[in-house]
Amino acid sequence: MHSSLRLPLAALAAALLLAQPALADIPQFIAYQGRVVQGTQNFEGTGYFKFALVDGGTGATYWSNDGTSASGSEPATAISLPVKGGNYSINLGQTGTAGATQPVTPGVFNHPDVRLRKWFRPAATGPFTRIDPDDKIGAVAYAILAASVPDGSITAEKIANGAVTADKIADGAVTADKIAPGAAAASLGSGFSLVPAGGMVLSEDSASANLVAAGYVKSRALPAVGAVWMQRTAPAAANSPSARSAHAAVWTGSEMIIWGGTNGTSTATGSRYNPATNTWTTTSTTGAPAARYYHSAVWTGTEMIIFGGAPALSDGARYNPATNTWTALPASGLAGRHYHSAVWTGGEMIIFGGWNGSTYYGDGARYKPATNTWTTLPAAGAPAARASASAAWTGTDLVVFGGNAATAFGNGARWTLTTNTWTALPTAGAPSARTFAASAWSGTDFIVWGGFNLATFPTDGARWTAATNTWTPLSTTAAPAGRWHASSLWTGKALLVFGGTTTAGNNPAGLNTGGLYFPATDTWEPIPAPSPGPAPRTDLTALSTGSDILVFGGWNSTGPVNDGLWSFTTPRALYLYRKL
């Protein structure tokens, strides 16, 4: 008879047999060695054992050799093992012998404190004695969980630098959709310097100094990739804006926001379009400004600011798409107006000029969201009162050109933020008098084209270069037909002009043609009437997402246009360069 039993572990588990990659091939057992002593003597002979894996806190049973243990109780069936010098070994969970019917499954180790409980008797009959204490399972046994790691659970932080080598990636395993945009180009080095001799690259730059410096020579120009129109959403798409014209639109970096406008009756509603999900979300009407059209809108980086509009409004509000809320602007001190100019400086919205239906204005003010305050622009040196002028922010100056009062104007001025002063623009080489001209700031030049001189629709224009304070005429070759009330913007490479009208009445016939002016080459790329594509229109909105142009709304001779939201991918000239 033994007076006591001790079972110190020489090692809980020497190893897990995980040589095979598939779960079905992995042995579901743990190699275990133990020692049993009777009194002061090592036990010799055949011993009878029972085993269970239990929770160290609750005592719950997670596994036992025959599957009969519950709440840490003794299993019903024993396993006989040879013991020599007090030492024995067993593969816990290896089935096929008497009393061993249950494999150890990975789910056993989905618990932080798993312990091995043991029972022993020295003969084939008689009671079993539980051996204390329960032995805590160490880290090795938890490696069995590797056989059942959930998809996506191994993150980049868990993979050592250099651990995944080329010989571990199957041929063809990395497909194009698994490579981030621009990643391949970035890996080729500055100027594609890692491309081997004779290699070819494509560029939109007709004279790339970087590629030439990297050892390339321009081989030839390729045919331009044509403009592509696509209807993004139908007119009745859920939460899309109703048909309207003379509305405002801004691009937030991820969404286009449409607000206000008229379909014969002005509206105070709007919606946001998300290209990533191709869905519309209605803007809140709580606290929104009163209905209006021909108002202005700027994007601050976090909010859209609405100001003015017909009929002769002098108020406005800020809309925050993150919270879908409106905040009223304080009183501006300006008379109500529409057809005014509005730009965003990066910290302030600047308003200049406008018309209230009978009076033209030559004043302006700056609104600063950070302090929620207005500051009046100086009157000294300001352009004469006018409406529908072209305007842009250069980074340092507000530039104003053209517009009309009793007549059209062919002059302008710039207001400098740092000095708070106006300076007249040069007249030499400037565009002729016009109003509602297409315009944009390119980053270096203020480009003005087309418009209406109150008699005809010119097809010429000019660009003002800030660095030299000079005007340069635009080429008229392949320029679009003259027009006013068109939508215009800078695409990153070109001035885009689309839509508008050559009618001077109250119910104008619209256009669905336009053009792209490239200042780098002083050339035009026509935008022919698309089929399919947006219907002819004027007083529309068009803006750039960075990759596409989004076109919405407008008016033609039959009323507000209602043909959904369209996108336009601009044509690109490509040039083939060969590595020497």
Side-chain angles (χ1 to χ4, degrees), residues 556-578:
N556 60 29
S557 57
T558 61
V561 176
N562 186 20
D563 62 354
L565 175 70
W566 289 83
S567 70
F568 169 72
T569 303
T570 58
R572 301 180 181 185
L574 297 175
Y575 302 89
L576 189 66
Y577 286 79
R578 181 172 58 85

Side-chain angles (χ1 to χ4, degrees), residues 57-142:
T58 66
T61 299
Y62 299 130
W63 169 89
S64 64
N65 55 277
D66 65 355
T68 62
S69 173
S71 302
S73 65
E74 180 183 327
T77 309
I79 301 173
S80 63
L81 297 171
V83 181
K84 186 174 180 60
N87 297 315
Y88 69 94
S89 63
I90 182 174
N91 290 329
L92 295 171
Q94 185 172 30
T95 61
T97 60
T101 61
Q102 302 299 313
V104 178
T105 61
V108 169
F109 300 102
N110 284 328
H111 307 280
D113 187 11
V114 180
R115 295 175 183 260
L116 178 64
R117 183 166 293 178
K118 307 158 293 290
W119 293 262
F120 172 78
R121 74 181 180 194
T125 61
F128 278 81
T129 300
R130 176 177 160 184
I131 304 173
D132 289 324
D134 296 338
D135 295 306
K136 189 171 183 178
I137 299 297
V140 175
Y142 283 87

Side-chain angles (χ1 to χ4, degrees), residues 25-80:
D25 297 332
I26 297 173
Q28 303 293 288
F29 58 79
I30 304 171
Y32 170 79
Q33 291 179 340
R35 189 164 180 244
V36 61
V37 177
Q38 284 185 292
T40 60
Q41 300 297 316
N42 293 328
F43 180 81
E44 292 280 347
T46 299
Y48 297 84
F49 297 85
K50 298 180 181 180
F51 301 95
L53 293 171
V54 301
D55 190 282
T58 66
T61 299
Y62 299 130
W63 169 89
S64 64
N65 55 277
D66 65 355
T68 62
S69 173
S71 302
S73 65
E74 180 183 327
T77 309
I79 301 173
S80 63

Side-chain angles (χ1 to χ4, degrees), residues 437-539:
S439 63
W441 173 250
S442 73
T444 57
D445 293 355
F446 177 47
I447 309 173
V448 178
W449 178 86
F452 183 45
N453 63 15
L454 305 188
T456 61
F457 299 93
T459 59
D460 62 352
R463 64 182 196 266
W464 174 76
T465 303
T468 59
N469 192 29
T470 57
W471 289 96
T472 303
L474 308 184
S475 170
T476 57
T477 302
R483 66 198 64 203
W484 68 334
H485 288 267
S487 192
S488 58
L489 56 89
W490 178 250
T491 68
K493 290 185 177 292
L495 165 73
L496 180 141
V497 179
F498 183 77
T501 182
T502 56
T503 304
N506 290 327
N507 211 26
L511 299 169
N512 63 347
T513 59
L516 288 154
Y517 173 73
F518 295 87
T521 55
D522 190 30
T523 57
W524 284 94
E525 178 76 29
I527 303 174
S531 181
R537 63 194 68 199
T538 186
D539 286 331

